[in-house]
Amino acid sequence: MTVPESLYAVQIRLLMLLSPPRLFSKISKLDWYRKILHTWVDAYLDARSMRVLDVGCATGYLTKYVFSKGHQVSGVDVSRRMISRAKKENSTTAIDFKLCNEKELPFQKGSIDLVLSASVINITSNPAEFAEQVFRVCKHDGIVSFLYPVSGFTDADLHRSVRELGISGFSKAALMAWHRSAPKLLINEVEQLLLEAGFEQIKSKQFFQGMVVSVSAKKIG
Ligand SMILES: C[S@@+](CC[C@H](N)C(=O)[O-])C[C@H]1O[C@@H](n2cnc3c(N)ncnc32)[C@H](O)[C@@H]1O
């Protein structure tokens, strides 16, 4: 029996309301989601072992992926339920999951080589403070990269991508829900935040046919 697409949309809305950790666990199994995250972070993961921080780790899919590449990794999130599920799903690893509040990343100044944060800069209530906190914890020559859905990608663009990539069912509904409900930012808004926090060498890159971008930068000297 084929499930009507509208039922997947209802399932996603219900999960978002009742159990965001379950929804994120389901989403983290989708091909498009994994492909975006892997392509994004693979560009930063060197052969040397790095100290990596994943801010807004949710149930820890990306955190575990980075850990599997041989890095020392911490995942932080403001949601107690997300952190609890992340710990449960990764109980056999040495990943350090921590609850953190909006205002303070619980790490020492200059202690992190690479800060990754997917879909947080566009939802946090104080993005400038967030960028400053990230600057504080980065080592000299440390890198930050924010991934988020970019302003200007339209419904028509998304429908074309979904058709071209042959995405359907729950996978399509999750993508649509993300596109429709996530706040979006311009590339230069995030570039400006990073410059004002003290970062240099700002670069941006598009993913998923332009729906998502990363803006990265380096803490020099
Ligand atoms: C849209 S989800 C993205 C989850 C994951 N990074 C991903 O890309 O799948 C945003 C996550 O960030 C968390 N979050 C929101 N604001 C945060 C903040 N200021 N510091 C840490 N986590 C935050 C939320 O609880 C949620 O788990």
Side-chain angles (χ1 to χ4, degrees):
M1 190 186 78
T2 319
V3 178
E5 286 195 351
S6 56
L7 275 189
Y8 288 119
V10 172
Q11 183 191 9
I12 287 165
R13 274 204 293 275
L14 279 175
L15 280 172
M16 194 62 210
L17 209 61
L18 301 174
S19 181
R22 264 188 72 199
L23 177 61
F24 273 93
S25 281
K26 269 179 90 63
I27 289 176
S28 69
K29 295 184 176 72
L30 302 177
D31 283 349
W32 58 261
Y33 174 90
R34 290 188 170 194
K35 197 164 173 201
I36 292 172
L37 292 188
H38 295 180
T39 316
W40 168 49
V41 300
D42 283 350
Y44 303 107
L45 299 177
D46 319 332
R48 74 184 165 118
S49 175
M50 291 189 283
R51 182 78 185 85
V52 183
L53 171 61
D54 177 13
V55 182
C57 62
T59 52
Y61 173 76
L62 178 71
T63 335
K64 187 176 179 180
Y65 177 74
V66 174
F67 178 77
S68 75
K69 301 280 174 181
H71 302 283
Q72 194 192 338
V73 54
S74 299
V76 298
D77 203 286
V78 280
S79 158
R80 194 172 293 279
R81 291 170 77 192
M82 291 292 192
I83 287 294
S84 161
R85 181 136 185 164
K87 283 183 175 167
K88 206 181 286 173
E89 289 190 2
N90 296 285
S91 59
T92 57
T93 70
I95 303 172
D96 165 45
F97 286 107
K98 282 186 171 64
L99 193 64
C100 80
N101 72 38
E102 297 268 331
K103 310 260 185 274
E104 200 171 352
L105 293 175
F107 297 91
Q108 291 202 330
K109 184 177 174 189
S111 59
I112 308 285
D113 295 296
L114 173 64
V115 178
L116 300 167
S117 184
S119 294
V120 178
I121 191 72
N122 57 316
I123 62 171
T124 184
S125 56
N126 195 336
E129 194 166 14
F130 180 31
E132 284 160 18
Q133 278 290 312
V134 170
F135 186 80
R136 183 185 65 78
V137 300
C138 263
K139 286 183 185 171
H140 293 303
D141 289 337
I143 304 256
V144 56
S145 187
F146 292 137
L147 184 87
Y148 60 93
V150 69
S151 303
F153 192 82
T154 64
D155 277 8
D157 293 331
L158 184 65
H159 283 295
R160 195 180 51 249
S161 302
V162 162
R163 258 195 326 274
E164 283 174 12
L165 299 169
I167 298 172
S168 61
F170 178 86
S171 189
K172 177 178 171 185
L175 189 56
M176 293 289 200
W178 186 32
H179 169 69
R180 294 205 170 126
S181 63
K184 298 176 182 63
L185 292 172
L186 292 165
I187 291 175
N188 63 18
E189 289 177 286
V190 177
E191 288 176 340
Q192 196 56 33
L193 282 168
L194 289 172
L195 281 173
E196 282 168 10
F199 285 101
E200 299 176 47
Q201 297 187 8
I202 316 272
K203 292 180 189 154
S204 63
K205 198 168 160 186
Q206 292 191 344
F207 300 87
F208 201 78
Q209 309 198 326
M211 177 180 171
V212 185
V213 295
S214 68
V215 178
S216 65
K218 199 167 191 177
K219 178 170 172 176
I220 304 285

